[in-house]
Amino acid sequence: MPQITVTLPDGGAKSLPEGARVRDLAAAIGPRLAASSIAARVDDALVDLDEILHDGARVEIVTESAAEGLSILRHSAAHVMAEAVKDLFPTATFGIGPAIEDGFYYDFGVDRPFNPEDLEAIEARMREIVASAVPFKREEVDRLTAHDRFEGQPFKRELIADLHESETISLYTQGNFTDLCRGPHVPDTSRIRAFKLTKIAGAYWRGDSTRPMLQRIYGTAWYSDKDLAAYLTRIEEAEKRDHRKLGKELDLFSFHEIAGAGLPIYHPKGARILRLLQDWLRPELYRRGYVEAITPHIYKTDVWKISGHYDFYGENMYFFQIDEGDGRVNEYAVKPMNCPGHVMIFDNDVRSYRDLPMRIFEFGTVYRHEMSGVVHGLMRARGFTQDDAHIFCAPEQVHDEIVAMLDLVDYVMHTVFGFEYSAEISTRPIGHSIGADDMWELATKSLMDACAARGLAYEINEGDGAFYGPKIDIKLRDAIGRTWQCSTIQVDFNFPERFGLTYRTAENTEAQPFMLHRTILGSMERFLGILIEHYAGAFPSWLAPVQVVVIPIADRHLDYSNDVRAKLEERGVRVEVYSDNEPMRIKIAKAQQQKVPYMLVVGDREAEGGTVGVRDRSEGDLGSRTLDEVVELVGKDDPRR
RNA sequence: GCCGGCGUAGCUCAGUUGGCAGAGCAAUCGCCUUGUAAGCGAUAGGUCGGGGGUUCGAGUCCCCCCGCCGGCUCCA
């Protein structure tokens, strides 16, 4: 019998009879591999276990434990869910059903929206399909056949029509459900052991708000019940960290229906944290050659007409009319950005190349009328404060400025907060953008070179830049692995052009400066939200609104407690005394719940010895300490030390 | 903005087929005088998100609005 030879990832070769399939190869290598194999990567393409191997193929078996193995499972789970929906809702039409991070979804066109009971019924039907262990069968068809097979399925037909000429059209069938699909899939439905449907949502067909809204069902799927349980636990843990919940429990901020959606009101403890952040960042910026500005919250509308925001983003701005009393009515707008003020500072004088770079920062509060469906606690508010800055510089300075910003990003995100982060560079949007080609080229190259100079890897988001310039976005990773976009560094050709900014060069010619926008924390609100969730409310001592609480054991220790408080306050420690007439353990429970870093228990022993009994919120009882030792303890995580 | 769900005391939540609005915690007042994660007793606390409608009667059913939650779209 003729033989073929395939190469394996370790460089080894394996001979197999002609016509052998991937599953045969897996079996030939070993029974354990065969049992956990899901699909294979053949010459870089993912294929089913049924795929017939050709001579000389490079083959890598994809197992359950591989990343692709999980996404194949989830994709297959989506097909099974679609089959269940087809069984229960015969008139349903089908959109797309991909695997996503941690799960999958499928979009359906149905006569009425799904409700939670439907979800249970669909899940029950899925379990039957899984129990029956039906195989996934692949077939390849021509375009016309594919079109005919999806009678009454407008979305599928649209997808087929949009497939490129050169693409192979493949269909997968399990049971009575056939889907247009590239594959691969798990061998049969029994592999989908551990899954759960999680939520229902509306979703526009192809993500286009002008097209029909379909019903999307989300689910998650894993190879074992243990993994599924771990995932569900992870979700629960994330919910416990929800900054909206903790913000309420820790008395940091609130929202009020009468005030309006998306407008956070900071209580003293929340305000304290924000000010602590600013008071730490401000000297750091001075050290790095920034100057601080304070600019108005409102401007006459003319400013926004010049900047272009009136036309581009007017719908998201707050406008109001003021009767000046002399027959004139002026229109003003609340600022959605801090740039104009900084531009006016630059433009207030004749500027020389010697003035550059000019780095102006501001903790600037802005208001944007975000669409009602998107406001989300502190993460997406309508009023928020940016740690904003604008750098006016010569073209040849752009590179060094970006490098300096990336250094600042690293200091803040990594050195101070310990976040891992990654970078993305967004390039010129094709079609709608302003500025000369060479400017875009120089700016984009500066961003890339700066990343390279700092050894910062980046991904490219082709055409995702702003209309006025390219940008670097920094995404950080929090304690439980979620990513958040905070820092952004943008090059702007729009403002200098529209406001006619110039400076005199060394050759005494006139030139237009480059303008760089940048935020490090991004929105202070959002960053606070991220920190709350990252620390699960247990702020490090240097950011804790209350660093220590003094806990008198009995009323007779109140005087000494107040002594301790006064002495610590004098040394800059943020301290409260729990003077309520309650047993100590109740005060400790309250302080623990408030996630206060240190509790100082004072009773007869401490009052006599002039000491305190220190309890660390996570370590527990640390024993007796002097106040000097407490001050040292409280300050030891401060990044400025 | 779109789809779906939700809104009851400061907080977390019960409230049956439409028939007198409840609990725990917190608060207040007593008692206890406390040694490392939740004592005891009493009192007070409500336009049931707002408005309109159906009904003898609405927290409960219907409509509109506001807000919140999960997504979609958006995030200059």
Side-chain angles (χ1 to χ4, degrees):
Chain A
M1 192 166 186
Q3 294 277 306
I4 59 163
T5 303
V6 298
T7 30
L8 302 174
D10 63 7
K14 199 89 189 169
S15 286
L16 294 159
E18 196 175 284
R21 297 170 190 272
V22 172
R23 66 171 77 252
D24 301 325
L25 171 65
I29 296 171
R32 263 183 59 220
L33 183 68
S36 74
S37 59
I38 293 302
R41 187 181 292 283
V42 173
D43 299 337
D44 297 329
L46 283 172
V47 300
D48 296 303
L49 292 181
D50 267 346
E51 185 82 1
I52 294 173
L53 293 166
H54 64 86
D55 190 37
R58 283 179 294 113
V59 186
E60 178 190 350
I61 303 290
V62 174
T63 64
E64 291 184 354
S65 53
E68 299 97 326
L70 262 181
S71 80
I72 291 166
L73 170 78
R74 289 163 183 167
H75 185 189
S76 300
H79 279 230
V80 169
M81 178 167 77
E83 182 182 354
V85 168
K86 189 184 176 204
D87 289 346
L88 299 169
F89 302 85
T91 59
T93 56
F94 298 86
I96 58 167
I100 54 173
E101 189 173 356
D102 292 336
F104 60 91
Y105 68 79
Y106 210 114
D107 288 344
F108 306 100
V110 276
D111 304 329
R112 61 161 178 88
F114 291 125
N115 59 45
E117 292 79 64
D118 295 332
L119 220 58
E120 282 174 33
I122 293 165
E123 196 172 304
R125 177 69 192 121
M126 286 174 72
R127 298 209 182 278
E128 292 170 11
I129 296 168
V130 167
S132 65
V134 291
F136 282 87
K137 283 188 288 226
R138 176 189 173 95
E139 59 186 310
E140 293 181 5
V141 297
D142 61 39
R143 189 170 294 255
L144 208 60
T145 309
H147 185 264
D148 289 345
R149 292 280 289 272
F150 289 99
E151 176 75 43
Q153 293 293 337
F155 303 120
K156 289 298 175 191
R157 286 187 162 180
E158 183 177 326
L159 293 172
I160 293 163
D162 288 351
L163 284 173
H164 193 266
E165 286 292 330
S166 63
E167 281 190 86
T168 305
I169 299 180
S170 54
L171 309 181
Y172 278 80
T173 303
Q174 92 275 6
N176 66 357
F177 178 76
T178 297
D179 205 353
L180 173 73
C181 179
R182 191 176 288 121
H185 278 285
V186 295
D188 69 74
T189 58
S190 70
R191 301 303 277 261
I192 304 159
R193 290 193 279 269
F195 69 94
K196 184 175 162 59
L197 301 187
T198 50
K199 53 201 171 195
I200 309 164
Y204 298 111
W205 168 235
R206 296 193 137 184
D208 184 340
S209 56
T210 65
R211 308 208 58 187
M213 180 159 277
L214 306 180
Q215 288 288 306
R216 175 172 297 178
I217 301 178
Y218 285 93
T220 186
W222 302 81
Y223 281 108
S224 71
D225 291 331
K226 194 168 135 263
D227 289 349
L228 173 62
Y231 168 74
L232 295 174
T233 304
R234 202 173 92 211
I235 299 298
E236 274 172 39
E237 289 302 315
E239 278 167 11
K240 280 186 204 152
R241 290 168 176 257
D242 191 310
H243 74 282
R244 293 165 298 193
K245 181 170 144 35
L246 285 166
K248 202 179 275 181
E249 288 171 7
L250 303 180
D251 196 19
L252 302 180
F253 56 85
S254 56
F255 292 91
H256 298 263
E257 194 172 330
I258 49 161
L263 300 171
I265 293 177
Y266 288 100
H267 299 15
K269 286 175 186 168
R272 195 62 179 265
I273 300 170
L274 284 181
R275 291 302 185 211
L276 285 165
L277 283 169
Q278 293 180 351
D279 292 347
W280 148 74
L281 187 55
R282 183 179 289 108
E284 187 59 36
L285 293 176
Y286 286 149
R287 203 168 296 129
R288 291 167 185 261
Y290 285 81
V291 289
E292 184 172 15
I294 298 171
T295 67
H297 291 77
I298 60 171
Y299 291 105
K300 282 201 280 190
T301 301
D302 306 62
V303 168
W304 307 108
K305 286 182 177 164
I306 296 171
S307 73
H309 290 94
Y310 190 85
D311 293 329
F312 279 99
Y313 309 109
E315 280 186 8
N316 295 314
M317 292 172 61
Y318 293 95
F319 293 102
F320 56 99
Q321 266 83 36
I322 287 297
D323 188 334
E324 304 282 1
D326 57 4
R328 291 177 305 144
V329 174
N330 280 324
E331 189 177 51
Y332 287 80
V334 182
K335 69 174 169 185
M337 308 186 84
N338 298 301
C339 336
H342 300 179
V343 165
M344 285 181 241
I345 291 168
F346 181 89
D347 201 31
N348 193 52
D349 205 342
V350 177
R351 300 298 177 185
S352 148
Y353 70 97
R354 295 173 196 275
D355 297 327
L356 306 182
M358 189 182 260
R359 308 184 187 94
I360 303 175
F361 84 92
E362 175 171 9
F363 292 112
T365 304
V366 298
Y367 292 85
R368 301 176 182 180
H369 190 262
E370 304 287 3
M371 284 196 296
S372 60
V374 308
V375 295
H376 178 92
L378 296 182
M379 301 302 191
R380 193 81 181 273
R382 283 179 171 164
F384 57 96
T385 302
Q386 295 175 301
D387 65 321
D388 207 358
H390 296 92
I391 284 85
F392 301 90
C393 66
E396 62 273 17
Q397 293 172 325
V398 171
H399 176 267
D400 287 353
E401 288 303 310
I402 307 279
V403 170
M405 288 175 190
L406 291 176
D407 185 72
L408 179 55
V409 167
D410 190 71
Y411 171 72
V412 169
M413 294 306 172
H414 191 254
T415 308
V416 174
F417 290 105
F419 289 119
E420 298 297 320
Y421 60 87
S422 59
E424 289 176 2
I425 294 181
S426 296
T427 61
R428 182 169 198 164
I430 351 90
H432 43 286
S433 54
I434 65 150
D437 289 349
D438 57 340
M439 301 253 282
W440 274 90
E441 205 172 301
L442 172 68
T444 308
K445 191 170 181 307
S446 299
L447 297 180
M448 291 175 179
D449 289 351
C451 286
R454 284 206 45 91
L456 176 60
Y458 55 84
E459 286 178 22
I460 299 282
N461 275 341
E462 206 65 57
D464 209 35
F467 73 93
Y468 53 73
K471 60 176 180 174
I472 303 177
D473 289 321
I474 302 290
K475 287 187 168 172
L476 60 84
R477 223 177 145 70
D478 75 7
I480 54 175
R482 295 170 302 181
T483 59
W484 303 93
Q485 202 221 288
C486 292
S487 318
T488 178
I489 296 173
Q490 310 184 346
V491 185
D492 185 349
F493 310 128
N494 180 50
F495 262 92
E497 198 164 297
R498 285 181 176 255
F499 282 85
L501 303 184
T502 60
Y503 68 97
R504 300 304 295 188
T505 66
E507 292 75 40
N508 199 26
T509 57
E510 196 167 72
Q512 191 175 88
F514 267 61
M515 180 170 163
L516 310 175
H517 303 243
R518 107 338 39 161
T519 64
I520 304 299
L521 306 180
S523 139
M524 304 285 304
E525 279 62 15
R526 187 177 154 80
F527 194 71
L528 174 59
I530 292 166
L531 288 183
I532 292 170
E533 301 199 359
H534 176 65
Y535 293 125
F539 284 93
S541 179
W542 75 280
L543 279 176
V546 177
Q547 296 171 300
V548 308
V549 292
V550 181
I551 297 179
I553 286 176
D555 287 352
R556 65 177 178 280
H557 308 119
L558 271 173
D559 284 347
Y560 179 62
S561 296
N562 285 323
D563 260 16
V564 168
R565 189 235 316 261
K567 285 188 176 123
L568 289 176
E569 272 174 350
E570 233 168 75
R571 313 238 339 231
V573 177
R574 300 184 288 279
V575 50
E576 277 183 10
V577 177
Y578 280 6
S579 53
D580 283 1
N581 179 12
E582 285 170 319
M584 180 190 84
R585 62 204 155 82
I586 288 181
K587 296 179 190 176
I588 285 176
K590 283 180 179 168
Q592 286 286 155
Q593 196 173 43
Q594 286 297 303
K595 301 176 192 291
V596 176
Y598 301 101
M599 285 147 266
L600 309 183
V601 175
V602 302
D604 293 334
R605 289 203 297 271
E606 289 77 12
E608 268 171 44
T611 60
V612 292
V614 177
R615 180 188 164 96
D616 180 293
R617 72 179 160 207
S618 44
E619 307 288 313
D621 195 350
L622 300 184
S624 177
R625 299 290 166 93
T626 65
L627 293 189
D628 282 343
E629 287 169 333
V630 169
V631 171
E632 164 69 19
L633 206 54
V634 164
K636 76 174 195 292
D637 64 12
D638 193 313
R640 286 159 293 202
R641 297 216 316 176

